[in-house]
Amino acid sequence: MRRDFLMGYQQTVLGPLWVLLQPILTLITYVLVFGKVIGISTGTVPPVLFYLAGIVLWTLFNDGFTGTSATFSENAHIFSKVYFPRLLMPVARLVGYLISFGIQFGFLVLVLAYYWLFTSWRAPSAFGLPLALLVILLISIQSLGLGLLFSVLTGKYRDIRFFVGLGTRLLLFLTPVFYPVQHVAPKSRWLLELNPLTPLFELFRWSLLGQGIVTPGQVLYSVSFTLGLFLLALLTFNKQGDKLMDVV
């Protein structure tokens, strides 16, 4: 974990400041493009808070999934020399991303506090942080589960890693990261509801910002999908781990 975190910022001018600079630059782009140019309404929530909440949570999922999906291909030189539980590598990578997420989430809380103290905006939700922490846990488990499954696939078929990058970019548009669900036409909303990330993003915004369309049934669907996916991925990862050493 320490190695991955430090190597990510070696020979850079700003170093770990990129953890904050990246979501800030993305936030500026979203506000200008989707808020000013396209004019997507964020309801009663200030655009900065709406977009920043989506960016921070999507970054955790995207980094967790893509970072662990190449576990075997990136660590074959270590796996082939010494035996240790293979699961340590993707978990360590995910913990490193959680550290970066913690910094970004702290920045989100500071911006949220600014709006509470210096503007007239107030979030009506009374549950707040506990529900947000539950969403963070589920997103982390879901990204790890997908990463474990695709690490087996990318270990066998190297070109799958191109699908990982393309798939996450396409999934971004089917996830309410930069738009509210209520602005999607009802006849097309079922596509979003099939995405198990949608209820989690809506619950995250509702818990912190007081705006989001989510039902207990949708949350149960996401929880069931996440736990089922993780169990399947864990069994597949442990079963195929030793066999992949002859391939990679």
Side-chain angles (χ1 to χ4, degrees):
M1 180 184 66
R2 178 177 179 272
R3 179 203 64 183
D4 291 339
F5 186 80
L6 293 179
M7 286 184 62
Y9 302 104
Q10 282 184 349
Q11 295 181 327
T12 60
V13 177
L14 299 178
L17 286 177
W18 281 108
V19 174
L20 285 178
L21 188 60
Q22 184 175 1
I24 290 174
L25 292 176
T26 307
L27 172 63
I28 294 173
T29 303
Y30 279 16
V31 170
L32 291 177
V33 175
F34 299 113
K36 302 297 183 181
V37 178
I38 300 179
I40 296 178
S41 173
T42 57
T44 59
V45 178
V48 170
L49 283 176
F50 182 91
Y51 294 129
L52 185 57
I55 291 168
V56 167
L57 197 60
W58 175 259
T59 300
L60 174 62
F61 171 79
N62 181 72
D63 289 349
F65 172 36
T66 58
T68 58
S69 63
T71 296
F72 285 105
S73 57
E74 290 182 353
N75 298 284
H77 60 291
I78 300 177
F79 289 161
S80 60
K81 292 180 180 179
V82 61
Y83 176 80
F84 60 93
R86 313 297 189 198
L87 191 61
L88 287 178
M89 299 301 287
V91 170
R93 180 66 66 87
L94 179 62
V95 172
Y97 292 134
L98 281 171
I99 293 175
S100 299
F101 171 81
I103 298 173
Q104 296 172 356
F105 184 74
F107 176 68
L108 171 61
V109 171
L110 289 177
V111 176
L112 184 62
Y114 169 82
Y115 275 90
W116 267 80
L117 294 174
F118 300 105
T119 70
S120 59
W121 177 83
R122 294 292 183 273
S125 174
F127 296 95
L129 192 58
L131 280 177
L133 294 178
L134 174 63
V135 171
I136 293 168
L137 175 63
L138 292 172
I139 289 288
S140 301
I141 295 174
Q142 194 171 141
S143 64
L144 179 61
L146 282 174
L148 293 179
L149 276 180
F150 275 85
S151 68
V152 174
L153 295 175
T154 55
K156 290 184 177 181
Y157 313 104
R158 296 299 179 91
D159 54 345
I160 294 293
R161 68 181 185 272
F162 300 114
F163 175 78
V164 171
L166 176 61
T168 52
R169 286 193 291 270
L170 294 177
L171 185 61
L172 173 64
F173 293 96
L174 289 176
T175 307
V177 177
F178 52 83
Y179 58 86
V181 169
Q182 60 264 31
H183 287 283
V184 178
K187 64 180 181 180
S188 303
R189 197 173 295 175
W190 65 272
L191 284 173
L192 297 183
E193 294 174 350
L194 285 177
N195 181 2
L197 290 173
T198 297
L200 299 181
F201 273 75
E202 288 295 286
L203 182 61
F204 187 72
R205 284 201 178 99
W206 183 83
S207 64
L208 294 179
L209 309 179
Q211 178 175 298
I213 298 179
V214 63
T215 65
Q218 291 173 331
V219 175
L220 181 61
Y221 163 68
S222 290
V223 172
S224 302
F225 179 89
T226 300
L227 296 180
L229 171 68
F230 182 71
L231 180 60
L232 173 63
L234 192 60
L235 293 174
T236 304
F237 185 87
N238 289 331
K239 183 178 181 179
Q240 299 293 328
D242 293 333
K243 298 178 181 179
L244 282 175
M245 290 301 96
D246 298 328
V247 178
V248 297

